């Protein structure tokens, strides 16, 4: 199973690296394009917004397409966009290239996850989703440090490397995966979108990510005293956090193969609330900060896998659209977290952002309780495997 899933994990790793690495390259990009760093930062904003819109739109547009073909097209657009970014000599050209890149990236993660759900046996679906999302998670652990390191030499090399990752992933998809054709009507695949349970479940994703990124977005400021302003120390804390997220992904995947995803999600969110509430005293010393960051990462990583498992289990044939919408819910949560974190700093210092973050996570917990009893599983067939 994992041989087939490896190119899917590489694809999500490429997408994640592309998104995270740019943050570390912004000073070099700004200098090269003769713009300010905040202006260069809009490249990140445009990428995230385009991805959030593209994920459900292209998920809908390609829902009747062979999953392998859809993924190959998306990876092709993604690679072309990164090449165009590396070749761009003006801010407008680079901005356009980032939008193109995000359009391809928008359906890579959701399509890779839906493909993983098809090629894996139902009893190992959680592990399969976790393995594929592990690529995205691993990129969060090393993307920013790698971008900061490479950005000191030539930021163009990073984009060429990411484009290469996309092409290698495309080759793996072409040779390792079978055709995966939908076996239901288009109307049947749209049916789950009319359910309030689906909307509630997607809202849980947004609230959980809002709680996570309300603090994560400003973690540098929150840890300024603990790290004594050392960029190197902060990077190591973020690396430990990233490894925790990866561990949370994999652990949630394994557990969801044996226990109800709803119960696991409730448990993870409950502990997450406690960890956020104690974040202020937990980051008093560097030693406790590393421990707290690891636990925090595990609890950030678990909900994504569990939420995907809930959606895929409920309506297997609608997974391209549902997971596309879930990706949008994730990026909406990231954006809301950043915005609210900035707003709350009008009243509290960054070290206290764990308190409002716990509030957002509490809302996710309560809504999960309300959606624990899911409606009857949609009675449609899953996409079928076809011979090459």
């Amino acid at each position: 199973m994992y041989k087939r899933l490896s190119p899917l994990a590489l694809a999500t790793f490429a997408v994640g690296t592309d998104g995270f690495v740019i943050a570390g390259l912004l000073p070099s990009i700004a200098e090269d394009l003769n713009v300010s760093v905040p202006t260069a930062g809009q490249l990140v904003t445009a990428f995230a917004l385009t991805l959030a819109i593209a994920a459900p739109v292209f998920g809908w547009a390609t829902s009747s397409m062979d999953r392998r073909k859809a993924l190959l097209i998306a990876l092709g657009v993604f690679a072309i966009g990164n090449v165009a970014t590396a070749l761009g000599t003006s801010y407008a050209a680079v901005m356009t290239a980032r939008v193109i890149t995000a359009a391809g990236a928008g359906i890579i993660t959701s399509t890779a996850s839906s493909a993983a759900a098809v090629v894996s046996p139902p009893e190992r679906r959680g592990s399969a989703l976790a393995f594929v999302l592990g690529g995205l998670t691993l990129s969060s652990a090393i993307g920013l440090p790698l971008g900061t390191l490479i950005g000191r030499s030539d930021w163009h090399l990073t984009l060429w490397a990411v484009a290469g990752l996309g092409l290698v992933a495309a080759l793996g998809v072409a040779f390792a995966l079978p055709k995966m054709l939908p076996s239901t009507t288009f109307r049947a695949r749209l049916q789950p979108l009319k359910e309030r349970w689906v909307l509630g479940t997607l809202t849980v994703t947004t609230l959980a990510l809002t709680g996570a990124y309300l603090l994560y977005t400003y973690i540098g400021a929150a840890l300024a005293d603990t790290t004594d302003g050392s960029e190197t120390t902060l990077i190591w804390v973020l690396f430990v956090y990233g490894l925790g997220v990866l561990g949370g992904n994999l652990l949630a995947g394994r557990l969801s193969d044996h226990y109800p995803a709803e119960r696991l999600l409730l448990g993870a969110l409950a502990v997450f609330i406690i960890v956020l509430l104690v974040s202020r005293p937990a980051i008093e010393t560097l030693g406790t900060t590393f421990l707290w960051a690891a636990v925090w990462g595990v609890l950030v990583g678990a909900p994504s896998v569990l939420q995907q498992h809930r959606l895929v289990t409920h309506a297997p044939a609608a997974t391209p659209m549902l997971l596309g919408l879930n990706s949008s819910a994730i990026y909406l949560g990231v954006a809301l977290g950043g915005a609210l974190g900035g707003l709350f700093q009008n009243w509290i210092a960054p070290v206290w952002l764990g308190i409002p973050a716990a509030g957002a996570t509490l809302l996710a917990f309560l809504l999960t309780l309300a959606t624990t009893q899911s409606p009857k599983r949609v009675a449609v067939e899953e996409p079928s495997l076809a011979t090459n």
Side-chain angles (χ1 to χ4, degrees):
M1 180 181 74
Y2 290 111
K3 181 179 180 181
R4 283 183 168 182
L5 297 179
S6 293
L8 299 176
L10 181 60
T12 62
F13 176 78
V15 170
T17 300
D18 196 29
F20 288 109
V21 80
I22 289 294
L25 300 175
L26 288 180
S28 299
I29 293 175
E31 181 180 359
D32 199 35
L33 300 180
N34 294 315
V35 297
S36 66
V37 172
T39 299
Q42 298 310 305
L43 296 171
V44 178
T45 303
F47 183 90
L49 289 177
T50 303
L51 196 152
I53 295 171
V57 171
F58 290 139
W60 167 79
T62 62
S63 63
S64 60
M65 187 182 295
D66 165 28
R67 295 293 85 205
R68 182 176 67 175
K69 182 178 180 180
L71 194 53
L72 287 173
I73 293 174
L75 285 166
V77 173
F78 174 79
I80 291 171
N82 275 292
V83 169
T85 303
L87 294 175
T89 57
S90 68
Y91 181 73
V94 172
M95 176 64 80
T96 301
R98 292 307 290 165
V99 170
I100 293 172
T101 305
I107 60 171
I108 289 176
T109 300
S110 58
T111 305
S113 294
S114 63
V118 174
V119 301
S120 60
E123 67 274 10
R124 300 186 66 187
R125 185 169 287 159
S127 296
L129 289 171
F131 183 79
V132 171
L133 280 180
L136 185 65
T137 305
L138 185 60
S139 69
S140 71
I142 68 175
L144 181 57
L146 185 63
T148 303
L149 179 63
I150 298 177
R152 294 170 181 169
S153 54
D154 186 354
W155 64 272
H156 299 85
L157 295 176
T158 307
L159 280 304
W160 283 109
V162 172
L165 285 175
L167 290 176
V168 172
L171 288 174
V173 167
F175 289 102
L177 292 180
K179 291 181 180 179
M180 291 164 278
L181 301 172
S183 56
T184 57
T185 64
F186 183 69
R187 172 176 286 186
R189 294 194 298 275
L190 286 178
Q191 185 64 33
L193 303 183
K194 301 177 182 179
E195 300 172 14
R196 286 184 294 178
W197 181 87
V198 170
L199 177 60
T201 302
L202 294 172
T203 304
V204 169
T205 296
T206 295
L207 289 172
L209 269 294
T210 298
Y213 277 82
L214 198 152
L215 176 58
Y216 180 80
T217 305
Y218 304 97
I219 193 61
L223 296 179
D225 290 339
T226 305
T227 62
D228 290 327
S230 170
E231 183 182 78
T232 301
T233 303
L234 177 60
I235 287 175
W236 277 109
V237 172
L238 292 178
F239 180 72
V240 170
Y241 160 84
L243 292 180
V245 177
L246 178 60
N249 274 178
L250 298 177
L251 179 62
R254 287 186 176 275
L255 291 177
S256 63
D257 286 334
H258 304 286
Y259 304 98
E262 289 83 3
R263 294 182 183 178
L264 294 172
L265 181 61
L266 285 169
L269 291 175
V271 179
F272 196 9
I273 293 169
I274 296 173
V275 169
L276 288 170
L277 287 174
V278 302
S279 59
R280 178 65 183 93
I283 60 175
E284 283 289 342
T285 68
L286 195 57
T288 56
T289 296
F290 276 109
L291 178 60
W292 172 82
V295 176
W296 178 38
V298 169
L299 296 168
V300 171
S304 296
V305 174
L306 297 173
Q307 284 291 87
Q308 286 201 348
H309 197 281
R310 296 176 77 195
L311 292 168
V312 170
T313 301
H314 174 64
T319 52
M321 284 176 286
L322 290 180
L323 295 185
L325 286 169
N326 195 58
S327 293
S328 291
I330 288 173
Y331 280 90
L332 177 60
V334 171
L336 283 175
L340 289 174
L343 180 64
F344 274 106
Q345 287 180 68
N346 290 321
W347 304 290
I348 59 177
V351 293
W352 291 104
L353 286 176
I355 303 300
T361 308
L362 175 61
L363 292 177
F365 176 85
L366 294 175
L367 188 54
T368 302
L369 277 177
T371 58
T372 295
Q373 297 298 324
S374 72
K376 184 179 180 181
R377 186 176 182 270
V378 176
V380 292
E381 298 178 35
E382 302 191 25
S384 61
L385 298 180
T387 57
N388 289 310

